[in-house]
Amino acid sequence: MALRFPWETEPDPPEPATPPTRQPLPPPLPKPRGRRPSGPSRSDASQTATPTSIWRYHHLTIKGPSAELEAFAAAARGPGIIPWEINGAAIEEDIFIRAVSQTGGQRSLSVAGCRILARQFRERIEAREARARDRIGVSRACPFDLQVLVPIPPAILALGHDHPTALAWLSRHWGISDLPRQVILRPHVGPGRRQKAGHGVLGYGFFTAETSPRPALTTIAEAWPGLKFQLLPIATD
C-alpha cells in the first residue's frame, strides 16, 4: 500500500512562459462602495471545481510614491507560511483506518504494522509543521506574503485548512484557498508611461490555483490608499 504525504499530492505550478515585453494593464482595482458582497459558498465551489488544479500565473504591478513602495515591499515580506492548526491524533487515526481497511492481497502490513505506519506518518507531518512554524517572524523569503498582508484570524486557523468555515473565509477575504506559489519580484518593471518625480513601480509574479486573489487585493488597496494596484493574469500556453 502506498500512502503519500499531503504535500506530495499536489503538482507544482508550471514555469511561466516569457510574456511579451509590453503588456496592457487593466484599470486599478475600484474602491468598494457599500457592503462587500459575500463570497461563494463551499457547496457552490464544489460544483464547479475540477479534479486537477488549473494554475493561473499573474503579474501584480504597483505604482506610487517611491517611499510608499519601499514601505510596502518591506511590509509584504514574510515566510510564506499559513500556520494552520493540525490535529495529529485525528491524522494518525485516519491513516490507520485507511491502511488497515485494505482487503485481500492489497494489505501487506499487520494491524500492528498499520498502527506503526500511521504513527510515523503523523510524526513526519508534525515535524514538518514545527519546522515551518519556526520560520514565522524570522524568515522573509516570500516577497509577497498574503498571510502577512491579510492575515487569517487565529479562530479560523484553529479550524484547519480543510474546514468548511475556513474555506469560506478564504473565498471571501482572499479569493483563493491557499497562498500564491512561486512568488517572485519581477525585475526591470517598466512604468508603462512617464511617472511623476519621486514615483516608481513595483512588480510581482506568482501562481494561484484556479482563481485570482482579487478580494485580498481590494483589502490591501484600502490599507495602502497612496498606491495603485493592477493585477493581470498572464497566459502561460
Side-chain angles (χ1 to χ4, degrees):
M1 176 184 179
L3 289 174
R4 303 189 65 177
F5 294 96
W7 54 88
E8 297 174 334
T9 59
E10 186 174 273
D12 288 332
E15 293 296 329
T18 302
T21 55
R22 292 176 180 265
Q23 290 281 349
L25 292 173
L29 292 169
K31 298 292 184 181
R33 297 180 181 274
R35 296 182 62 185
R36 184 177 299 172
S38 60
S41 67
R42 185 60 183 164
S43 59
D44 291 338
S46 64
Q47 292 174 3
T48 59
T50 55
T52 57
S53 295
I54 301 173
W55 292 103
R56 299 179 184 273
Y57 187 60
H58 298 80
H59 277 178
L60 173 61
T61 303
I62 309 171
K63 300 180 181 181
S66 297
E68 286 194 52
L69 287 175
E70 291 179 9
F72 178 84
R77 279 198 169 272
I81 294 168
I82 303 177
W84 293 111
E85 295 289 338
I86 63 170
N87 187 332
I91 291 172
E92 179 179 342
E93 190 63 20
D94 179 63
I95 295 302
F96 170 73
I97 292 173
R98 289 171 58 189
V100 81
S101 297
Q102 299 297 306
T103 59
Q106 293 181 326
R107 198 183 89 195
S108 58
L109 296 174
S110 65
V111 173
C114 291
R115 178 59 71 186
I116 293 171
L117 174 67
R119 175 58 59 87
Q120 291 174 341
F121 196 95
R122 170 186 178 175
E123 289 173 349
R124 284 196 60 182
I125 290 178
E126 290 177 335
R128 183 177 184 271
E129 291 298 312
R131 289 194 300 271
R133 286 176 181 274
D134 287 343
R135 293 162 53 193
I136 297 175
V138 178
S139 172
R140 293 169 59 80
C142 180
F144 182 75
D145 189 342
L146 276 190
Q147 174 60 16
V148 169
L149 293 165
V150 188
I152 302 171
I156 299 297
L157 292 172
L159 298 174
H161 75 283
D162 57 352
H163 192 281
T165 300
L167 292 169
W169 189 96
L170 290 169
S171 176
R172 179 178 176 83
H173 296 278
W174 280 14
I176 52 179
S177 59
D178 201 353
L179 288 171
R181 302 288 190 88
Q182 296 185 11
V183 183
I184 62 167
L185 270 172
R186 288 157 46 215
H188 315 301
V189 182
R193 57 184 180 180
R194 188 171 182 178
Q195 298 291 303
K196 299 178 182 178
H199 283 56
V201 184
L202 178 65
Y204 299 97
F206 52 79
F207 284 94
T208 60
E210 300 186 6
T211 54
S212 298
R214 292 196 177 274
L217 262 294
T218 297
T219 299
I220 294 168
E222 291 173 348
W224 297 81
L227 302 177
K228 292 183 179 180
F229 295 81
Q230 298 171 312
L231 185 66
L232 179 66
I234 302 295
T236 57
D237 296 335

